[in-house]
Amino acid sequence: MAVNLQVPQESKLSPVNGVDLGFAMAHIRKPNRKDVLIARICEGASVAGVFTQNRFCAAPVQVCQANLAKGKGIRALVVNTGCANAGTGERGLSDARQTTASVANLLAVDPEQVLVFSTGVILENLPMDRLLAGVDQAVSQLGQASWLDAAHAIMTTDTLPKARSRVAEVLGQPVTFTGVSKGAGMIRPNMATMLGFLATDASIAPKVLERWTKAIADASFNRITIDGDTSTNDSFIIIATGKQSAVAVETGDEPHAAAVFDALKATSIELAQAIVRDGEGATKFITVQVEQAASVDEAAKVAYAIAHSPLVKTAFFASDPNLGRILAAVGYAGIADLDQTRIQLYLGDVWVAKDGGRHPDYLEEQGQAVMNEAEITVRVQLGRGSEATTVWTTDLSHDYVSINADYRS
Amino acid sequence: MAVNLQVPQESKLSPVNGVDLGFAMAHIRKPNRKDVLIARICEGASVAGVFTQNRFCAAPVQVCQANLAKGKGIRALVVNTGCANAGTGERGLSDARQTTASVANLLAVDPEQVLVFSTGVILENLPMDRLLAGVDQAVSQLGQASWLDAAHAIMTTDTLPKARSRVAEVLGQPVTFTGVSKGAGMIRPNMATMLGFLATDASIAPKVLERWTKAIADASFNRITIDGDTSTNDSFIIIATGKQSAVAVETGDEPHAAAVFDALKATSIELAQAIVRDGEGATKFITVQVEQAASVDEAAKVAYAIAHSPLVKTAFFASDPNLGRILAAVGYAGIADLDQTRIQLYLGDVWVAKDGGRHPDYLEEQGQAVMNEAEITVRVQLGRGSEATTVWTTDLSHDYVSINADYRS
């Protein structure tokens, strides 16, 4: 069902010097699945992360935030699927800490230098015996797994693994950017998404990386939604190993910093869009652009109202140009002083609504032609200012209901 | 598909002295359907209304608000289905005014004494020739139609007509309360819902009725949601004809006022719940109670987050006690300082989550037993205060997708 998304080619995913990967099939929830991933990170790397704003944030998210705050330098990530370790109270925190302690022991680092991530069912406890056996196995294989393995090892209801890679020339040197993401449902990231990991061998000072990670999340993972459900476990991590020491960013103001930032951002947008393309039951990839807003926040409110409307989403699934539903969503987005007579609506290149009413020249056939496409852009102009934003989303199909009604995902 | 909802018995719907009804089959969108309703209201009646907060509010909503503000006394309502007259710009306003003028002319009243309501597809113009012919016909039949006819005449994607009636004894006199409602999709009323009309023969001063209508809407139509989509045309109207002159409410502080208010409110809650019971594709009727909140607003935020979550709703459709999804919704509801360790979650009478984690005694079979019911109560305690609210909603089923993907409703 994924929209224009294929399994990444392993040969096109460049390893990142300074990151070693290992996985295990630990039977956390289901047998014979890669469900534990370990990434060992070289000494001296910078690591920054952003996490879910869900107040029911999972135990591993709480441990990650605490460990990043300690500033001891992150030396490993450990990820499990099958169980989110969320809604698990004190026991959940203890399980997450036990996991980091186990990894730390095997790698001879401090437990506070390990970040832990879980994804899967909420309100269930981790099977610690199987998880710790998986950790042992994954550590013993460190360096043997590829980024494609990593993408596989973090999947839950995803139908396809998601990985992206690019090599950019900066200061005449090749710099690698490779990352993986996962997610298909419970997707309306708020600061980050349900697991995105991106690494580069550039050297980036921790303070800069922290700032950049927030900005990049806002332009990528924080601009996608599938069902409006913000996960308890969203996490997005950028690792800069510094192994390509010729390309160092100390302040972010260096002339070459922009090239590094842009490559990180472009890779992140592709990883975020891959989640939408693989959205549960998705048959369409929809870009919602809101322009002429008084603020970016206001543009985002309108874009998300459209992107979350079940009526808009089912109309896209049906390829039905029932476009009044989009205007209704604009109207209830929460802009109290919105003047409907200033609104323009475009579907693809077709001008559908002019000054708040049906454009006199608009023909249903024109809307139908755009609706038949697999990738569709909705563009709304609010006539209130010059700010804009873009959100990516999917339609709402029978398969979305089946996936979420028939499986305990 | 409706959940515990039947066609009302005509014999149990008491006429309200002072309101005469007439309908027509005007072929607004489809042939052979009751799609135009006229209610003539006696001189001296009080009429109050609340309307959608959608900023893309339809032309008829704008005309209603203007006419109510004039204070000339409302003498008639005219309703059409099949076309919402929303997203129709200046022409839409002109069409709405032409409709009120036509009714006014036929009834020999002022056009500003007529309220006009439309419901149906957005972004299309009214077929004025057929509508005005229907108005003629409906007026010619005034007094011959029943409240059940009225309920039929305002249906769109509703599978069943919705009407409720009660006779209460107040000051030893019988007082009648009869109303109709419609709506099945695009339901997340914000001030009122997509067409609710309630009449009583009690006498209620206009200022009191205005205040009561807001309070009653907040406790009934403003506490239901099917898909979170706030319509462009929501309208809720209460008519007090005063024909039962022995029961007069002048200030609202009279000892007998509470009985009148309570009957209006109880009837409104039943009419609002009927919309949820007939929600598009509904297989469950779900009551979401949020307690121990610091404010009613905060309780409502949490209740709506749960009620709108596609993941929660598909789990209910599947009768799957995947209850971590409810906790996730509580977490992203927008309470910044929520402490997850103070949250209690009950499904029916079963205590599922204690202090933010799975209750140690909770067994999946217990959750499953409640999930198998057609009417389910979710109760969340926030541990933050003593305010509470209740929202009624449905599950999200395959039929919801079919109804909204396969039909231009």
Side-chain angles (χ1 to χ4, degrees):
Chain A
M1 292 295 285
V3 184
N4 296 335
L5 184 71
Q6 285 83 37
V7 175
Q9 284 181 266
E10 189 155 1
S11 61
K12 294 198 171 162
L13 299 175
S14 307
V16 179
N17 193 354
V19 177
D20 298 319
L21 302 170
F23 68 83
M25 295 192 184
H27 191 166
I28 299 297
R29 183 170 183 81
K30 293 178 184 164
N32 306 318
R33 285 176 70 141
K34 297 172 185 167
D35 54 8
V36 171
L37 172 70
I38 307 254
R40 180 173 54 197
I41 301 167
C42 63
E43 200 166 352
S46 302
V47 176
V50 287
F51 298 90
T52 184
Q53 294 296 297
N54 192 313
R55 301 316 301 161
F56 239 101
C57 67
V61 169
Q62 297 175 55
V63 171
C64 278
Q65 288 173 316
N67 288 0
L68 278 169
K70 294 281 179 185
K72 294 185 176 176
I74 298 303
R75 298 297 308 282
L77 315 184
V78 51
V79 191
N80 75 271
T81 66
C83 173
N85 193 10
T88 44
E90 276 305 317
R91 173 164 164 194
L93 280 169
S94 155
D95 286 349
R97 289 194 194 105
Q98 199 186 341
T99 309
T100 58
S102 166
V103 173
N105 182 45
L106 291 164
L107 298 183
V109 298
D110 188 310
E112 291 179 341
Q113 294 182 294
V114 179
L115 300 184
V116 56
F117 306 87
S118 299
T119 171
V121 181
I122 300 168
L123 206 62
E124 293 191 4
N125 293 310
L126 280 168
M128 286 306 292
D129 50 343
R130 299 203 295 276
L131 174 57
L132 295 182
V135 164
D136 273 359
Q137 194 193 326
V139 168
S140 72
Q141 291 191 1
L142 271 173
Q144 295 171 40
S146 68
W147 281 89
L148 185 57
D149 291 324
H152 271 287
I154 63 174
M155 289 170 65
T156 51
T157 60
D158 311 60
T159 67
L160 293 170
K162 299 169 185 68
R164 288 290 185 283
S165 191
R166 52 168 40 82
V167 177
E169 198 181 289
V170 185
L171 298 174
Q173 303 293 325
V175 183
T176 303
F177 302 84
T178 302
V180 293
S181 63
K182 71 129 279 181
M186 200 175 269
I187 299 292
R188 191 264 156 99
N190 183 1
M191 277 307 110
T193 189
M194 187 111 180
L195 307 196
F197 302 109
L198 175 57
T200 176
D201 53 0
S203 168
I204 306 175
K207 287 263 174 231
V208 177
L209 190 63
E210 206 172 298
R211 201 170 71 228
W212 282 11
T213 302
K214 285 195 177 67
I216 287 169
D218 279 341
S220 57
F221 293 102
N222 281 351
R223 281 295 179 265
I224 64 173
T225 183
I226 290 172
D227 45 20
D229 277 302
T230 300
S231 152
T232 48
N233 293 53
D234 291 345
S235 306
F236 170 54
I237 300 291
I238 303 184
I239 302 161
T241 67
K243 290 289 184 185
Q244 176 50 283
S245 54
V247 178
V249 174
E250 286 299 328
T251 64
D253 298 327
E254 301 88 347
H256 62 277
V260 178
F261 179 85
D262 289 349
L264 286 169
K265 180 174 160 183
T267 310
S268 297
I269 288 175
E270 287 179 12
L271 288 169
Q273 289 186 344
I275 289 175
V276 175
R277 292 181 185 283
D278 197 20
E280 286 172 345
T283 74
K284 309 250 170 171
F285 179 85
I286 299 160
T287 300
V288 184
Q289 276 175 243
V290 177
E291 303 169 352
Q292 300 179 0
S295 68
V296 170
D297 271 4
E298 169 178 300
K301 266 189 191 175
V302 171
Y304 277 115
I306 295 168
H308 289 152
S309 160
L311 292 173
V312 171
K313 293 167 95 80
T314 48
F316 276 109
F317 171 53
S319 301
D320 177 6
N322 191 344
L323 303 172
R325 293 176 176 181
I326 297 176
L327 294 185
V330 172
Y332 68 65
I335 304 181
D337 59 345
L338 187 74
D339 177 356
Q340 59 172 276
T341 68
R342 305 194 66 172
I343 307 286
Q344 318 301 323
L345 169 66
Y346 296 82
L347 188 74
D349 293 332
V350 179
W351 194 353
V352 173
K354 179 172 185 282
D355 303 337
R358 187 186 176 111
H359 192 294
D361 299 335
Y362 169 68
L363 297 174
E364 175 111 356
E365 305 88 90
Q366 298 175 300
Q368 188 63 62
V370 180
M371 274 297 195
N372 292 342
E373 303 288 329
E375 306 214 5
I376 298 171
T377 297
V378 173
R379 193 150 60 96
V380 177
Q381 296 174 335
L382 300 178
R384 294 167 57 84
S386 57
E387 298 294 340
T389 202
T390 299
V391 163
W392 297 284
T393 191
T394 61
D395 54 340
L396 171 59
S397 70
H398 281 296
D399 280 5
Y400 178 87
V401 177
S402 294
I403 290 164
N404 285 298
D406 302 349
Y407 306 127
R408 178 76 61 97
S409 58
Chain B
M1 294 293 286
V3 184
N4 296 336
L5 185 70
Q6 285 83 36
V7 176
Q9 284 181 267
E10 190 154 1
S11 61
K12 294 199 172 163
L13 299 174
S14 307
V16 179
N17 193 356
V19 177
D20 298 319
L21 302 169
F23 67 85
M25 296 192 184
H27 190 167
I28 299 299
R29 182 170 184 82
K30 294 177 184 166
N32 306 316
R33 286 177 69 141
K34 297 171 185 168
D35 53 9
V36 172
L37 172 71
I38 308 258
R40 181 171 56 196
I41 301 167
C42 63
E43 202 167 351
S46 301
V47 177
V50 287
F51 298 91
T52 185
Q53 294 296 298
N54 192 313
R55 301 317 299 161
F56 239 100
C57 67
V61 169
Q62 297 175 57
V63 171
C64 278
Q65 288 173 316
N67 287 1
L68 277 170
K70 294 281 180 186
K72 294 184 176 177
I74 298 302
R75 299 297 307 282
L77 316 183
V78 51
V79 191
N80 75 272
T81 66
C83 174
N85 193 11
T88 45
E90 277 305 318
R91 175 167 163 192
L93 280 169
S94 156
D95 286 349
R97 289 193 195 104
Q98 200 187 340
T99 308
T100 57
S102 166
V103 173
N105 183 45
L106 292 164
L107 299 182
V109 298
D110 188 311
E112 291 178 342
Q113 295 181 295
V114 179
L115 299 184
V116 55
F117 306 87
S118 298
T119 171
V121 183
I122 300 169
L123 206 63
E124 293 191 4
N125 293 309
L126 281 168
M128 287 306 291
D129 49 344
R130 298 202 296 278
L131 174 57
L132 295 182
V135 164
D136 272 0
Q137 195 194 327
V139 168
S140 73
Q141 290 190 0
L142 272 172
Q144 294 172 40
S146 69
W147 281 90
L148 185 57
D149 290 324
H152 272 287
I154 63 174
M155 288 169 66
T156 52
T157 60
D158 310 61
T159 68
L160 293 170
K162 299 167 185 69
R164 287 293 185 280
S165 190
R166 54 169 37 84
V167 176
E169 199 181 288
V170 184
L171 298 174
Q173 304 292 325
V175 183
T176 302
F177 302 85
T178 302
V180 294
S181 63
K182 70 129 281 180
M186 201 176 271
I187 298 292
R188 191 265 156 99
N190 183 0
M191 277 307 109
T193 191
M194 187 111 181
L195 308 196
F197 303 109
L198 174 57
T200 176
D201 54 359
S203 169
I204 306 175
K207 288 264 175 230
V208 176
L209 190 62
E210 206 172 297
R211 201 170 71 228
W212 281 12
T213 301
K214 284 194 178 68
I216 287 170
D218 278 341
S220 58
F221 293 101
N222 282 350
R223 282 294 180 266
I224 65 173
T225 183
I226 290 171
D227 45 20
D229 278 302
T230 300
S231 153
T232 49
N233 293 54
D234 289 345
S235 307
F236 171 54
I237 300 291
I238 303 184
I239 302 161
T241 68
K243 290 288 183 186
Q244 176 51 282
S245 53
V247 179
V249 175
E250 286 300 328
T251 65
D253 298 326
E254 301 87 347
H256 63 278
V260 178
F261 178 84
D262 289 349
L264 286 169
K265 180 174 158 183
T267 311
S268 297
I269 288 175
E270 287 179 11
L271 288 169
Q273 289 186 343
I275 289 176
V276 175
R277 292 181 185 284
D278 196 20
E280 286 172 346
T283 74
K284 308 251 169 168
F285 179 85
I286 299 160
T287 301
V288 184
Q289 277 175 241
V290 178
E291 303 167 352
Q292 300 179 2
S295 68
V296 171
D297 272 3
E298 169 178 297
K301 266 188 193 175
V302 172
Y304 277 115
I306 295 168
H308 290 152
S309 160
L311 292 173
V312 171
K313 291 166 96 80
T314 48
F316 276 108
F317 171 52
S319 301
D320 177 5
N322 191 343
L323 303 172
R325 293 176 176 181
I326 298 176
L327 294 185
V330 172
Y332 68 66
I335 304 181
D337 58 346
L338 187 74
D339 177 356
Q340 60 173 274
T341 68
R342 306 194 66 172
I343 307 286
Q344 319 301 322
L345 169 66
Y346 296 81
L347 187 74
D349 293 332
V350 178
W351 194 354
V352 173
K354 179 171 185 282
D355 303 336
R358 187 185 175 112
H359 193 294
D361 299 335
Y362 169 68
L363 297 174
E364 175 110 357
E365 305 88 89
Q366 299 175 301
Q368 187 63 61
V370 180
M371 274 295 194
N372 293 342
E373 303 288 329
E375 307 214 3
I376 298 171
T377 297
V378 173
R379 193 150 61 95
V380 177
Q381 296 175 336
L382 300 179
R384 294 167 56 85
S386 56
E387 298 294 340
T389 202
T390 298
V391 162
W392 298 284
T393 191
T394 62
D395 55 338
L396 170 59
S397 70
H398 282 296
D399 280 6
Y400 179 88
V401 177
S402 295
I403 290 163
N404 286 297
D406 303 348
Y407 306 126
R408 178 76 62 96
S409 57

